[in-house]
Amino acid sequence: MNFLDSEKLETILLKNGFEKVDNPEDADVLIVNSCSVRKHAEDRAFGYLNSLKFLKNRGKIFCLYGCTANIYGSQIIEKYPFIDVVCGPNKIRESPKILKEALNGEKIVCVGESDNPFIEDLINVGGKISASISITKGCNNFCSYCVVPFGRGRLMSRSPQSIIDEIKRLVDKGIKEIILLGQNVNEYGKDIGTDFVSLLEKIHQIDGILRIRFLTSHPKDVPEKLILSFRDLPKLCKHFHLPLQSGSDRILKLMNRKYTVSHYLGIVEKVREVCPDITITSDIIVGFPTESEKDFLQTYKIVENVKFDELFVFKYSPRPKTSASKLPDDVGKEEKERRHRLIYNLQQKITEQINKNYIGKIVEVLVEKESYKKKGYFIGKTHNKKTVLFRKEGNVKIGDIVNVEILNSSIHFLSGRICVK
Ligand code: SAM
Ligand code: SF4
């Protein structure tokens, strides 16, 4: 979502007379688009701006964008007086105006909600075949550890017509795959009297779109209708990112996740029954306040049993304004690292084994780009999000769908050769 915001910001600025330069030394305005989901990300954003502070005496404007801006607002300028502009993710549209004011010497704080945070038609497609589009912004769920409702505000859905119109224009520019983004896409439409599956069905009818992906889903909001879509909508990619967060019901309750482990496992079972070759990926947080060895081992067991294709494992860090930040952060740094390492290593083995099972199979791959590392090779993705590397052959070009026989595998990708029909 942050990458998409950066692309939109870049396009707005280019359309309004700004130019992009390669070196910070050559810029009049320096913008860091920050993420604040974990403390580490926030520290990096401030660290990067700090590392460029020596350029300040050359009259440059320093700007902090993104969720961090919304969370701390004017406190940022009080703490870091070299920063001139603080702009939240819902206010990107106002950038040309506020940057011009800042260039005239004003300090600007532009945060909070907006009536129209969705920016249309601004993506510089630049030869890509896949484009992301935000269908919702914000989140109302208030998981106890999560800063997103404070960084991005409350849930707001974009109108179906505006989404469809943008996708049609993207198709005209050569886009073949659409990735629908939202913090919890399953809540799409709640505020405007529609629902996510109806949107998927409408997008599915658009000619020229070959593949549709979406993320992220919340396990408390997965209707049967969505599960059946993986079977009934052929363009819908067979990949389901469904964050579990913890395998302990006690911790899930403290996290305010509003589902139990058995509810989660029920969804996995149904999805696999309806769509056996689906890829399921997930997020786990280790070291949440009061997480005992027993809680942790429950998570470990679930990871061992479910066999996710891929897993993002995070060490808990307290975030401002969240309710969990009032609990003691009582799992020590080394213990968080140990738990992180154990789950990470377990998952590496599982992913390696799952990927090995592809050897000898023929998979359908959408060709995405040329490999930078391996000359003469293409990189593409299967329907279920496996990355595949294969040698260029015949007239095959970016955007084609080809059959590839898998000859080798690793944790990160599969490799093979194009099958001539
Ligand atoms: N909206 C998605 C959901 O409901 O799962 C994910 C949002 S968040 C941007 C992505 C992931 O970051 C979460 O799934 C969670 O695992 C992790 N995360 C969020 N807050 C965290 C925190 N305070 N400490 C560590 N990890 C965190
Ligand atoms: Fe954060 Fe929970 Fe909303 Fe996801 S659903 S963005 S984890 S509050």
Side-chain angles (χ1 to χ4, degrees), residues 305-331:
N305 291 340
V306 169
K307 298 200 173 20
F308 297 109
D309 288 77
E310 219 181 315
L311 191 61
F312 300 91
V313 193
F314 304 109
K315 287 171 259 176
Y316 170 76
S317 56
R319 305 309 298 125
K321 303 188 181 188
T322 60
S323 58
S325 67
K326 294 176 187 87
L327 300 170
D329 184 15
D330 57 358
V331 180

Side-chain angles (χ1 to χ4, degrees), residues 106-212:
E106 285 182 46
K107 292 263 180 192
I108 315 267
V109 177
C110 191
V111 292
E113 297 280 1
S114 155
D115 291 342
N116 185 9
F118 300 108
I119 298 166
E120 294 159 27
D121 267 5
L122 289 166
I123 300 171
N124 180 9
V125 170
K128 284 191 280 181
I129 52 138
S130 180
S132 299
I133 109 165
S134 291
I135 60 165
T136 63
K137 75 110 204 132
C139 181
N140 293 348
N141 286 317
F142 293 94
C143 299
S144 67
Y145 52 80
C146 183
V147 80
V148 167
F150 309 99
R152 291 195 171 260
R154 299 298 105 84
L155 175 79
M156 188 190 269
S157 304
R158 185 170 167 189
S159 82
Q161 200 53 53
S162 141
I163 294 170
I164 285 161
D165 290 348
E166 183 174 353
I167 294 178
K168 285 184 178 161
R169 288 189 291 263
L170 286 167
V171 170
D172 290 343
K173 291 181 188 167
I175 290 297
K176 303 213 185 292
E177 178 184 77
I178 285 292
I179 306 167
L180 306 171
L181 296 182
Q183 291 301 337
N184 175 7
V185 288
N186 307 147
E187 282 184 304
Y188 171 81
K190 267 189 178 173
D191 53 328
I192 54 169
T194 179
D195 67 84
F196 181 54
V197 176
S198 308
L199 178 71
L200 280 179
E201 287 165 353
K202 286 192 185 108
I203 296 173
H204 200 267
Q205 288 169 15
I206 300 176
D207 286 337
I209 280 296
L210 302 181
R211 288 182 174 184
I212 307 164

Side-chain angles (χ1 to χ4, degrees), residues 245-397:
Q245 311 300 0
S246 171
S248 152
D249 282 340
R250 190 183 74 80
I251 296 293
L252 285 178
K253 198 154 200 265
L254 282 176
M255 287 177 163
N256 192 30
R257 288 290 284 178
K258 302 193 179 89
Y259 55 84
T260 58
V261 174
S262 96
H263 173 79
Y264 184 94
L265 295 177
I267 299 174
V268 170
E269 199 184 314
K270 267 190 230 151
V271 173
R272 284 184 169 155
E273 196 182 298
V274 164
C275 187
D277 57 343
I278 198 155
T279 286
I280 301 182
T281 57
S282 195
D283 294 349
I284 295 281
I285 299 177
V286 293
F288 185 83
T290 78
E291 186 190 66
S292 63
E293 184 67 9
K294 185 174 157 221
D295 295 313
F296 168 70
L297 288 176
Q298 286 174 346
T299 305
Y300 189 91
K301 263 264 153 300
I302 300 289
V303 172
E304 203 168 33
N305 291 340
V306 169
K307 298 200 173 20
F308 297 109
D309 288 77
E310 219 181 315
L311 191 61
F312 300 91
V313 193
F314 304 109
K315 287 171 259 176
Y316 170 76
S317 56
R319 305 309 298 125
K321 303 188 181 188
T322 60
S323 58
S325 67
K326 294 176 187 87
L327 300 170
D329 184 15
D330 57 358
V331 180
K333 188 168 175 277
E334 277 173 21
E335 184 54 22
K336 279 181 189 162
E337 269 159 18
R338 184 186 75 90
R339 293 179 190 181
H340 180 274
R341 196 172 49 247
L342 284 172
I343 298 224
Y344 180 86
N345 288 345
L346 169 65
Q347 184 58 43
Q348 295 279 92
K349 284 198 199 116
I350 294 171
T351 304
E352 195 175 6
Q353 187 52 51
I354 290 177
N355 287 353
K356 248 190 203 146
N357 294 340
Y358 280 84
I359 296 176
K361 288 190 179 160
I362 293 175
V363 294
E364 213 180 70
V365 178
L366 174 60
V367 186
E368 281 183 358
K369 57 186 174 191
E370 292 188 22
S371 166
Y372 294 119
K373 286 193 185 153
K374 220 167 165 181
K375 275 252 156 310
Y377 279 71
F378 277 133
I379 292 178
K381 281 213 178 57
T382 63
H383 224 285
N384 59 358
K385 207 176 168 264
K386 298 287 170 192
T387 301
V388 184
L389 179 77
F390 54 97
R391 194 195 294 277
K392 285 182 181 179
E393 267 174 55
N395 299 326
V396 172
K397 55 188 185 313

